[in-house]
């Protein structure tokens, strides 16, 4: 039997042009990839913090190829890099060119500028914020309740009662103003979501502490005979000792459209030279000798907020800018100018506050010794940032 071989059929063969869906290869496209990743982690593996903060905020220099989709009445769009005089490498480069329609030229090398390299060492985001503050409030409330049940407030000396109602109460205004009108006012001003999340958390630390002091004031009004829960208003508005602190606090709210200067002045200058001076070197030093073992626990929560959390993100934010590969000299000169502007105001306010060191019966360490400690602390922070302690520190 003879078989005849059929001729090959003329059928068009598919031709691949790499234009079809799924043709492009990405680092995370292989079957072995365990996680999908659209950013470069700070370490070998991305963290949960990075997953929920990095590039959540849109940026046309990254992947927003159609350009900003919203703007402001003055013509600025999105998150302008000009909202601070500080600069990170790449910010002077123009935005990617836009093509017709919705197309555009994507940035080949991410990040497109140095601001995107910032990572909050505290790794703060919504869940960590609620957990931390809930724990702080729970502990503070337990300490106050235990003192109330044990009648610990009966051990306070009369002068200390007046000191707390006027001066500890007055600090409530500082925390409220900084939290609401400095930090909260800047929480969408920075150019990345990582910065803005850290600023927002810092804001909530301040507002929470102001609330802690307000609730503590109400408790003392109920538990301590003769305690005047409104005395802090007179101290803040009229007491000469507080007017220097009030002046600097209110000046921080009036910084001319520069979130970088506001954060720098508040956390690098104000907190060490005035915040820690009052909280650590006065209240927490004098309280025990006047029969008060409760107020230091309330103040201590705020000291931990700053020393262990808020200062850490501040150093991680500003430190790299003094070593920036393009703008290190610009940033150093700018920050040195800020130091020269704010340090004299803080020192003047500190010396105006000096008379309250003599009010308690059991005296804290001398004011000059306390101020020297604050200055040394401040000088260390400045040095860690790669800056020089300003000559005004010796005034």
């Amino acid at each position: 039997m003879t078989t005849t071989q059929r001729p090959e059929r003329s059928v068009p063969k598919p031709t691949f042009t790499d234009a079809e869906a799924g043709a492009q290869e990405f680092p995370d496209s292989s079957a072995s990839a365990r996680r999908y990743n659209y950013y470069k982690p700070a370490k070998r593996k991305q963290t949960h913090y990075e997953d929920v903060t990095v590039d959540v905020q849109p940026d046309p220099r990254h992947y927003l190829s159609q350009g900003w989709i919203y703007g402001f009445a003055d013509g600025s769009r999105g998150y302008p890099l000009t909202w601070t005089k500080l600069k990170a490498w790449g910010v002077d480069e123009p935005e990617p060119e836009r093509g017709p329609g919705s197309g555009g030229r994507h940035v080949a090398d991410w990040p497109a500028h140095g601001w995107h390299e910032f990572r909050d060492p505290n790794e703060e985001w919504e869940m960590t914020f609620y957990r931390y503050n809930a724990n702080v409030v729970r502990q503070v409330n337990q300490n106050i309740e235990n003192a109330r049940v044990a009648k610990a407030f009966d051990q306070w000396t009369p002068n200390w009662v007046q000191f707390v109602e006027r001066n500890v109460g007055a600090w409530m205004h500082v925390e409220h103003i900084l939290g609401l009108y400095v930090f909260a006012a800047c929480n969408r001003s920075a150019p990345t979501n990582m910065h803005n999340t850290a600023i927002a958390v810092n804001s909530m630390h301040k507002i929470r502490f102001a609330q802690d002091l307000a609730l503590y004031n109400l408790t003392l009004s109920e538990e301590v005979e003769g305690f005047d829960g409104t005395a802090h208003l007179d101290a803040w508005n009229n007491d000469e000792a507080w007017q220097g602190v009030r002046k600097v606090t209110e000046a921080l709210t009036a910084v001319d459209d520069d979130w970088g200067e506001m954060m720098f002045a508040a956390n690098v200058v104000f907190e060490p030279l005035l915040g820690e001076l009052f909280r650590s070197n006065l209240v927490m030093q004098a309280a025990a000798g006047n029969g008060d073992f409760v107020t230091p626990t309330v103040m201590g929560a705020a000291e931990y907020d700053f020393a262990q959390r808020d200062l850490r993100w501040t150093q991680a934010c500003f430190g790299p800018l003094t070593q920036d590969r393009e703008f290190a000299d610009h940033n150093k000169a700018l920050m040195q100018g800020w130091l020269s502007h704010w340090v004299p105001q803080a020192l003047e306010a500190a010396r105006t506050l000096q008379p309250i060191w003599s009010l308690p019966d059991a005296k804290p360490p001398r004011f000059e010794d306390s101020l020297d400690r604050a200055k040394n602390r401040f000088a260390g922070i400045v040095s860690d940032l790669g800056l020089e302690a300003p000559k005004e520190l010796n005034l």
Side-chain angles (χ1 to χ4, degrees):
M1 182 176 179
T2 303
T3 58
T4 304
Q5 187 174 3
R6 296 180 64 183
E8 184 177 352
R9 298 181 64 186
S10 178
V11 178
K13 292 185 171 67
T15 301
F16 297 100
T17 64
D18 283 344
E20 64 277 1
Q24 182 68 43
E25 291 291 329
F26 295 97
D28 293 334
S29 297
S30 66
S32 62
R34 300 184 64 182
R35 305 187 74 173
Y36 294 99
N37 188 16
Y38 53 91
Y39 62 88
K40 182 179 180 181
K43 299 181 180 179
R44 290 183 59 189
K45 295 182 180 180
Q46 64 262 45
T47 64
H48 199 169
Y49 155 75
E50 289 178 312
D51 284 343
V52 297
T53 58
V54 176
D55 280 348
V56 171
Q57 181 173 303
D59 189 338
R61 294 170 183 256
H62 275 205
Y63 49 80
L64 198 62
S65 61
Q66 74 272 29
W68 288 113
I69 56 178
Y70 63 94
F72 300 95
D74 64 359
S76 58
R77 299 171 297 157
Y79 294 76
L81 301 176
T82 56
W83 280 357
T84 179
K85 297 179 183 66
L86 293 167
K87 292 184 177 183
W89 61 263
V91 298
D92 284 351
E93 295 293 325
E95 287 189 14
E97 298 174 2
R98 304 300 165 196
S102 61
R105 180 172 64 82
H106 290 270
V107 178
D109 298 318
W110 297 356
H113 53 73
W115 288 115
H116 286 282
E117 293 181 334
F118 170 73
R119 299 291 187 273
D120 179 5
N122 301 313
E123 298 196 341
E124 293 279 22
W125 54 289
E126 187 175 11
M127 186 181 73
T128 62
F129 159 71
Y130 283 116
R131 282 180 174 174
Y132 172 75
N133 282 277
N135 288 335
V136 171
V137 170
R138 187 179 301 113
Q139 186 63 61
V140 168
N141 287 344
Q142 287 175 348
N143 291 340
I144 295 174
E145 180 62 19
N146 288 339
R148 189 188 65 81
V149 172
K151 302 296 182 182
F153 302 119
D154 294 346
Q155 307 303 315
W156 289 15
T157 63
N159 278 346
W160 185 251
V161 171
Q162 187 178 38
F163 179 91
V164 171
E165 70 184 13
R166 292 186 64 83
N167 300 297
V168 173
W171 195 257
M172 178 198 328
H173 299 275
V174 175
E175 299 293 331
H176 173 77
I177 292 172
L178 293 181
L180 195 58
Y181 300 107
V182 174
F183 289 94
C186 290
N187 82 76
R188 67 97 53 221
S189 298
T192 78
N193 196 62
M194 294 85 77
H195 291 87
N196 289 330
T197 299
I199 293 171
V201 170
N202 201 151
S203 166
M204 292 301 101
H205 288 163
K206 294 290 184 186
I207 295 173
R208 190 217 71 231
F209 182 45
Q211 177 178 281
D212 291 343
L213 291 177
L215 295 175
Y216 187 44
N217 184 73
L218 291 174
T219 298
L220 295 176
S221 298
E222 297 172 352
E223 297 295 324
V224 179
E225 184 177 357
F227 189 91
D228 184 358
T230 65
H232 62 89
L233 291 170
D234 179 65
W236 181 251
N237 290 324
N238 304 309
D239 194 333
E240 284 298 322
W242 279 100
Q243 297 317 297
V245 174
R246 180 182 173 185
K247 180 180 178 181
V248 179
T249 304
E250 294 177 351
L252 286 170
T253 70
V255 171
D256 186 20
D257 195 24
D258 193 318
W259 69 266
E261 182 178 359
M262 294 179 82
M263 299 299 98
F264 184 90
N267 277 354
V268 176
V269 180
F270 184 94
E271 280 296 328
L273 292 180
L274 286 172
E276 290 185 331
L277 175 69
F278 176 77
R279 295 188 302 258
S280 284
N281 295 317
L282 174 55
V283 178
M284 295 178 70
Q285 293 286 338
N290 290 280
D292 180 5
F293 297 92
V294 187
T295 304
T297 68
V298 181
M299 285 288 181
E303 288 298 78
Y304 188 89
D305 286 344
F306 173 69
Q308 303 299 324
R309 303 181 82 85
D310 299 335
L311 181 59
R312 289 178 65 196
W313 83 258
T314 304
Q315 291 172 317
C317 173
F318 293 105
L321 296 176
T322 64
Q323 304 174 32
D324 188 85
R325 66 191 193 214
E326 287 186 31
F327 300 108
D329 291 341
H330 165 84
N331 292 331
K332 283 183 179 179
L334 187 61
M335 285 187 251
Q336 290 291 164
W338 289 345
L339 290 173
S340 296
H341 176 73
W342 289 102
V343 167
Q345 297 183 59
L347 293 178
E348 180 183 358
R351 295 197 177 280
T352 305
L353 204 61
Q354 180 175 358
I356 68 174
W357 257 251
S358 63
L359 296 178
D361 292 323
K363 299 296 187 290
R366 290 188 324 124
F367 171 79
E368 292 297 336
D369 294 335
S370 299
L371 184 58
D372 284 343
R373 288 185 61 188
K375 285 182 176 181
N376 290 335
R377 161 77 158 159
F378 166 75
I381 293 172
V382 169
S383 177
D384 289 343
L385 291 176
L387 300 170
E388 297 180 2
K391 64 180 185 301
E392 290 84 0
L393 191 64
N394 299 321
L395 295 178

